[in-house]
Amino acid sequence: MANIPDKPSLDGIETRWMQQWEADGTYRFDRSASRDEVFAIDTPPPTVSGSLHIGHVFSYTHTDTVARFQRMRGKQVFYPIGWDDNGLATERRVQNVTGVRCDPSLPFDPAFSAPFHGDVPKDHRAVPVSRPNFVELCREITHLDEQVFEHIIQLLGLSVDWTLLYTTIGERARRVSQRGFLRNLARGEAYQQDAPTLYDIDERTAVAQAEMEDRDVPGAYHQVAFHRFDGQGDLVIDTTRPELLASCVAMVAHPDDPRFQPFFGTTVRTPLFEVEVPVLAHHLADPEKGTGIAMICTFGDVTDVTWWRELNLPSRALIGFDGRFASDTPEWITTAAGSEAYAQIAGMAPKQAQRKVVELLQTSGEMLGDARPISHPVKFYERGTRPLEIVATRQWYIRNGGRDTELRDRLIARGREVTWHPSYMEHRYDNWVGGLNGDWLVSRQRFFGVPVPLWYRLDADGNPRYDDVLVPDEALLPVDPSTDCPVGFTNDQRGVPGGFIGDPDVMDTWATSSLTPQIASAWEEHDSLFDQVFPMDMRPQGHDIIRTWLFATMVRSHHEHGCPPWKNAALSGWILDPDRKKMSKSKGNVVTPIDLLEKYGTDAIRYWAASGRPGVDTALDEGQMKVGRKLATKLLNATKFVLSFGEPPAGASATEAIDVAMLARLAHTVDEATVAFEGFDYARALEQIEAFFWWFCDDYVELVKGRAYSGHGPEAAASALAALREALHTIHRLLAPFLPFVTDEVWNWWQTGSVHTQTWPQGHRSGDASMLDPTSEVVGAIRRAKTEAKASQKAAVSTAVITGPADLLALVRLAEGDLGDAGSVAEFQWVEGGELGCTVVLAPVEQAG
RNA sequence: GGGCGUGUAGCUCAGUUGGUUAGAGCGCCACCAUGACACGGUGGAGGUCCCGGGUUCGAGUCCCGUCACGCCCACCA
């Protein structure tokens, strides 16, 4: 035991073991394993444009404990890691740290270098750069971010196989993503449509339903009068968006509403703009809302879109991609007064336009009373700052059941094929799928992403024929249609009549990350890895992205493979700050893990993380981290102590009753932990293991150490030594998934190889543990007596009188010798009757001098 | 408005098909230099299990209802 330090310490063990594991390839995936020997994990690729915060540490630790358990159970664990680096989040970060913005109309500038790297002055106006320059900058910045991430993931002790690293903007990801899309297209699951689309006017891109959120914002009801042509008065509406009056195409009320039934089929004149619009009936109009009659604009909200579609109304959209009102007076405004009114809002943003329209309405007397302020929910892009507008655009969609009940039902049924941990998370999936109101919009008018791999033929006038899609051969993927040519064309035909044009869009970041199982496993990449690992065993992720990542992955797998992409979905909760508020960047309460890792050590942080139940939001609790550190320290000291007794003689085994009982209890603990882990409940496994370990240290070791010192002869000592070592051997392995650093440290004091490649301990041991509880109770009673007498625990007891039922006394007597040692008891008296108890007579303290 | 979850000691949380006196850790209080650990150990105090009904021999646990909090969805005229 020459390896055991005099003063064991946790300092520096992270670096040492990180390097050792990497050098030994401890977590390398075995490509020769068959599918049934594999446990495959669809690791979430963290978004590198954000910071890795304590929430990542939390959920990644959960997965890692399961991975380590499965590895020790004999599985070949496929545990890749990837970086999610494409998408708008990265673009924003790049804009913020380099002071540029992408202008796709500019040509590539080979000599370009970014004006800043990190500290962009507040008054700096972003420098426009070409798309290729911008993408290059994105790659540079993400590469730097990824190095930081790699360091933290390693420091966390995640047992990922670094040779499996992928990025979502990397070549393979682009190829897999484009291949997946083209297959969807070929099967009719992807289609394009020119339709009103929710659109972020700041980012200038369409947005999918899954990326939207409602925010309560201040608004105001404005009562506005529409004039009847019979001169018999007005129809009055309440609107929060008076600025859209110029886009009004109709008025609508409920068909059963007697107040408005007389007007259905008639027309009215819009205020200010003097456009004649019909009064129509539709069941979605709510008699309770506002005045009971509404104006339909193209487009103020999604109900407008429904009305527009179902009532076959004309499109009079005025707000363009730049979020401003068209600068020319539209043709449907025909009167001089109407044109004059429009001229005053032309080119304005919606807010400005609203002020102007209200002013005009007040002047003309067509607004009744003052605006009544309200707070109402408005749709925003989740990363956006201004409300979404609805703009008619051509976009690509993937069918996800949002417009097809049969597909929706099939996807919900797919959800049932997955085992959810915890099980109630499945409701969130069902809810989301059941509530979809459209297909998945996958095209984005952005730059740093996987390009939509398509071109369109141009007609004789040079106009794109979107129905004439030119598709690349899969063997040529990945393609960038802005620089690559479709087969049969040359680059000089780009943009010229009779030639072609590339699709300018990239795909939604989820359109790529929905294929993480396929990317990580090199699907269709001339590699058998996919067959070895797909469908995967486990998808770990946060419950907040069930609607996006989980659902999108399910959709792609359902279309492509006809099965769910994994067998289990393990949902992690969030980290709340100590005041139980959700951590988020905007609240400024995000805790970065690096300081905590340094302060308490990785194992301690992992202990805290693993104490959080699956799916449950958990408060950041430094107290738990202290406990974790205490546990790791205890393992060092307890191991040192047990090993210090030396090796038992060859062939020795546990023979004394309490030694056998302890091993029986340990076997039971192993069984409990194993069952919990198999159900992905790492927290329960830890709880069981930890409880055993503390009992082992506090009671068992205290009881038998006298015997282990040979106080009762060699045979009794041999039994204790054998039991102690067997228990230690098991404890080290049980704690290994949670405390990977300290367990490998102590393991290597007396064993060879990494504890992480050992076999998970066996339970199912015969033996009776029933003597342990009453024995602990007597130990406690003796200790209590000494504490109450303010005596040292070492104080000598002349007589201990133990009372209780005969069966319990018999059990406790099995440990009489050990009890005598541990309690320094000279003589025991055993008295049958009453409850189990113990009274103690302390020996007189010898007078000093 | 629909769905889901949570509510147990000052704090963070366990409590498995209902079963003696409801548990752990932290914190708090008191004590202890005992052959691994003072970054330690021992003991103690501390609870109307949100509230109200019901089922049952028996309810923290099951059922109904209420309240509070959190999340998801819907609600934009």
Side-chain angles (χ1 to χ4, degrees):
Chain A
M1 295 314 120
N3 298 335
I4 306 178
D6 283 343
K7 213 51 178 151
S9 163
L10 298 171
D11 294 337
I13 60 172
E14 286 90 356
T15 318
R16 191 157 71 244
W17 287 104
M18 266 162 59
Q19 288 167 354
Q20 189 69 45
W21 297 331
E22 193 52 36
D24 295 346
T26 307
Y27 309 121
R28 205 74 84 228
F29 177 66
D30 180 0
R31 288 298 312 273
S32 68
S34 63
R35 180 64 190 87
D36 59 346
E37 296 169 321
V38 168
F39 186 86
I41 300 171
D42 184 17
T43 319
T47 307
V48 291
S49 54
S51 55
L52 203 62
H53 60 80
I54 195 72
H56 290 98
V57 168
F58 184 65
S59 54
Y60 281 83
T61 297
H62 299 165
T63 309
D64 188 59
T65 61
V66 173
R68 289 177 181 278
F69 165 74
Q70 291 289 348
R71 191 177 292 111
M72 295 178 80
R73 289 283 271 177
K75 293 285 190 185
Q76 274 302 318
V77 176
F78 179 75
Y79 192 6
I81 182 85
W83 310 128
D84 188 12
D85 44 14
N86 80 44
L88 186 53
T90 297
E91 290 187 21
R92 281 202 170 176
R93 173 158 162 75
V94 168
Q95 287 164 8
N96 291 340
V97 302
T98 64
V100 305
R101 68 178 169 84
C102 183
D103 182 345
S105 67
L106 294 175
F108 178 63
D109 175 3
F112 178 81
S113 82
F116 301 100
H117 265 98
D119 286 310
V120 181
K122 277 220 152 53
D123 56 351
H124 171 73
R125 280 185 75 96
V127 176
V129 297
S130 76
R131 175 171 161 159
N133 284 117
F134 186 71
V135 168
E136 202 174 288
L137 269 180
C138 288
R139 286 173 178 280
E140 268 175 44
I141 300 288
T142 51
H143 185 66
L144 292 175
D145 290 338
E146 282 159 15
Q147 289 174 331
V148 176
F149 270 50
E150 184 169 329
H151 174 68
I152 296 178
I153 298 277
Q154 282 179 341
L155 190 56
L156 243 190
L158 295 194
S159 58
V160 297
D161 182 347
W162 287 96
T163 65
L164 301 170
L165 182 72
Y166 66 88
T167 68
T168 59
I169 198 64
E171 181 169 324
R172 188 207 281 171
R174 278 180 288 144
R175 196 159 52 228
V176 167
S177 178
Q178 292 185 334
R179 184 185 294 130
F181 176 79
L182 290 172
R183 300 254 180 121
N184 290 137
L185 178 62
R187 288 189 299 261
E189 294 144 6
Y191 65 92
Q192 56 182 326
Q193 191 182 24
D194 201 339
T197 308
L198 281 151
Y199 194 89
D200 187 299
I201 57 180
D202 291 310
E203 302 296 344
R204 298 206 185 180
T205 182
V207 171
Q209 185 186 354
E211 295 170 293
M212 295 172 202
E213 62 186 25
D214 287 350
R215 292 184 203 160
D216 270 314
V217 296
Y221 275 122
H222 302 76
Q223 220 160 58
V224 179
F226 282 56
H227 310 299
R228 284 162 54 186
F229 278 98
D230 59 12
Q232 297 295 302
D234 297 331
L235 287 179
V236 177
I237 58 148
D238 256 327
T239 179
T240 55
R241 299 205 62 183
E243 71 275 19
L244 291 179
L245 264 178
S247 288
C248 180
V249 291
M251 298 188 79
V252 66
H254 195 275
D256 301 336
D257 192 332
R259 292 173 296 173
F260 303 107
Q261 275 169 342
F263 305 109
F264 293 147
T266 68
T267 60
V268 291
R269 197 171 71 242
T270 63
L272 300 184
F273 304 104
E274 304 188 328
V275 176
E276 183 175 356
V277 296
V279 181
L280 303 172
H282 192 277
H283 66 274
L284 279 183
D286 182 354
E288 302 293 314
K289 229 175 227 178
T291 58
I293 187 165
M295 68 168 174
I296 303 175
C297 304
T298 53
F299 298 94
D301 62 34
V302 289
T303 316
D304 280 340
V305 177
T306 308
W307 281 325
W308 168 77
R309 189 180 293 130
E310 295 188 5
L311 298 171
N312 281 316
L313 296 167
S315 178
R316 290 178 185 158
L318 287 168
I319 296 180
F321 298 138
D322 57 357
R324 291 175 177 275
F325 278 82
S327 46
D328 298 329
T329 304
E331 71 276 6
W332 60 85
I333 296 178
T334 52
T335 67
S339 301
E340 198 181 312
Y342 188 78
Q344 303 205 49
I345 61 166
M348 281 186 172
K351 255 193 172 163
Q352 293 172 286
Q354 182 178 107
R355 276 194 293 271
K356 178 54 77 179
V357 167
V358 167
E359 189 186 312
L360 293 174
L361 286 170
Q362 281 170 335
T363 308
S364 71
E366 286 162 309
M367 184 166 144
L368 283 53
D370 293 326
R372 287 124 53 213
I374 53 158
S375 174
H376 64 155
V378 175
K379 281 198 192 310
F380 281 72
Y381 173 43
E382 59 190 356
R383 299 172 185 274
T385 52
R386 283 199 284 178
L388 293 170
E389 294 294 343
I390 295 175
V391 176
T393 57
R394 185 191 58 84
Q395 303 285 346
W396 280 96
Y397 296 81
I398 291 178
R399 298 185 198 280
N400 67 357
R403 299 173 65 176
D404 174 353
T405 22
E406 199 189 327
L407 176 56
R408 185 181 313 193
D409 292 345
R410 276 209 295 271
L411 285 165
I412 289 175
R414 285 278 180 245
R416 285 193 208 105
E417 294 175 44
V418 172
T419 308
W420 299 74
H421 309 275
S423 57
Y424 60 76
M425 289 293 180
E426 185 175 358
H427 296 301
R428 301 196 180 192
Y429 175 86
D430 292 346
N431 266 359
W432 174 255
V433 181
L436 288 167
N437 54 31
D439 279 327
W440 175 15
L441 195 164
V442 293
S443 46
R444 293 289 182 278
Q445 292 69 57
R446 301 299 308 179
F447 318 108
F448 192 56
V450 178
V452 174
L454 300 171
W455 301 266
Y456 308 97
R457 204 184 285 276
L458 296 179
D459 66 16
D461 299 323
N463 296 315
R465 290 179 46 190
Y466 290 114
D467 55 340
D468 198 344
V469 176
L470 302 167
V471 175
D473 191 287
E474 278 193 14
L476 300 173
L477 300 178
V479 296
D480 181 351
S482 69
T483 51
D484 297 320
C485 291
V487 172
F489 289 81
T490 55
N491 234 331
D492 52 15
Q493 290 172 279
R494 185 183 294 276
V496 302
F500 70 92
I501 188 174
D503 191 300
D505 291 350
V506 299
M507 289 190 274
D508 173 16
T509 185
W510 297 114
T512 298
S513 50
S514 60
L515 295 167
T516 49
Q518 291 86 348
I519 295 167
S521 65
W523 169 62
E524 299 280 292
E525 295 278 293
H526 311 291
D527 190 304
S528 60
L529 181 59
F530 179 79
D531 299 321
Q532 208 183 347
V533 302
F534 190 91
M536 297 197 172
D537 295 272
M538 176 187 191
R539 155 60 75 87
Q541 64 161 76
H543 59 65
D544 51 329
I545 52 174
I546 289 174
R547 66 175 184 167
T548 49
W549 192 37
L550 192 148
F551 175 57
T553 312
M554 185 72 95
V555 168
R556 302 307 288 280
S557 182
H558 171 78
H559 285 323
E560 186 63 45
H561 310 291
C563 64
W566 355 259
K567 300 185 185 82
N568 296 279
L571 286 309
S572 280
W574 280 324
I575 292 310
L576 310 174
D577 71 13
D579 298 329
R580 300 206 64 78
K581 299 262 167 30
K582 184 192 170 187
M583 278 191 191
S584 69
K585 239 183 193 171
S586 56
K587 290 203 189 80
N589 59 352
V590 171
V591 174
T592 53
I594 202 85
D595 294 343
L596 291 168
L597 286 166
E598 278 169 11
K599 186 171 176 189
Y600 298 104
T602 296
D603 284 336
I605 306 302
R606 290 175 59 104
Y607 170 87
W608 158 76
S611 308
R613 290 348 247 199
V616 177
D617 296 346
T618 301
L620 182 69
D621 184 359
E622 291 200 37
Q624 278 294 96
M625 298 176 190
K626 285 181 192 158
V627 175
R629 184 162 181 96
K630 201 172 125 172
L631 177 65
T633 305
K634 192 73 173 179
L635 187 63
L636 289 176
N637 289 313
T639 300
K640 182 184 167 207
F641 189 46
V642 167
L643 295 178
S644 73
F645 295 118
E647 290 186 51
S653 65
T655 51
E656 294 281 323
I658 192 168
D659 300 336
V660 173
M662 180 276 289
L663 291 174
R665 172 174 280 186
L666 177 55
H668 179 69
T669 302
V670 170
D671 288 335
E672 295 268 315
T674 304
V675 168
F677 254 136
E678 280 172 342
F680 298 80
D681 193 347
Y682 49 83
R684 184 171 172 76
L686 173 59
E687 188 183 43
Q688 299 287 320
I689 294 162
E690 191 197 7
F692 175 86
F693 178 62
W694 283 110
W695 168 83
F696 174 80
C697 292
D698 293 345
D699 285 4
Y700 177 76
V701 173
E702 288 299 322
L703 279 165
V704 304
K705 69 183 183 187
R707 181 154 52 87
Y709 280 124
S710 297
H712 295 270
E715 276 183 32
S719 173
L721 262 52
L724 283 166
R725 290 219 164 197
E726 186 176 339
L728 195 66
H729 196 254
T730 299
I731 288 165
H732 285 175
R733 287 176 293 157
L734 288 176
L735 286 170
F738 303 100
L739 313 176
F741 293 99
V742 73
T743 49
D744 228 1
E745 180 80 7
V746 294
W747 181 261
N748 276 275
W749 286 348
W750 66 311
Q751 304 287 332
T752 53
S754 172
V755 71
H756 303 297
T757 54
Q758 305 303 312
T759 307
W760 184 254
Q762 290 284 327
H764 310 298
R765 186 192 176 95
S766 63
D768 182 3
S770 61
M771 68 173 289
L772 297 175
D773 282 334
T775 303
S776 284
E777 210 170 310
V778 170
V779 169
I782 296 171
R783 286 171 175 163
R784 194 175 307 122
K786 294 181 181 180
T787 299
E788 278 166 8
K790 304 201 172 187
S792 158
Q793 287 300 322
K794 206 190 174 183
V797 173
S798 49
T799 312
V801 182
I802 303 181
T803 55
D807 54 337
L808 289 185
L809 289 186
L811 288 171
V812 175
R813 273 195 101 150
L814 293 170
E816 181 168 354
D818 290 338
L819 275 169
D821 288 345
S824 308
V825 179
E827 187 207 354
F828 285 101
Q829 289 176 10
W830 306 88
V831 180
E832 272 186 40
E835 304 234 310
L836 187 62
C838 174
T839 52
V840 167
V841 180
L842 290 175
V845 182
E846 284 181 32
Q847 298 295 315

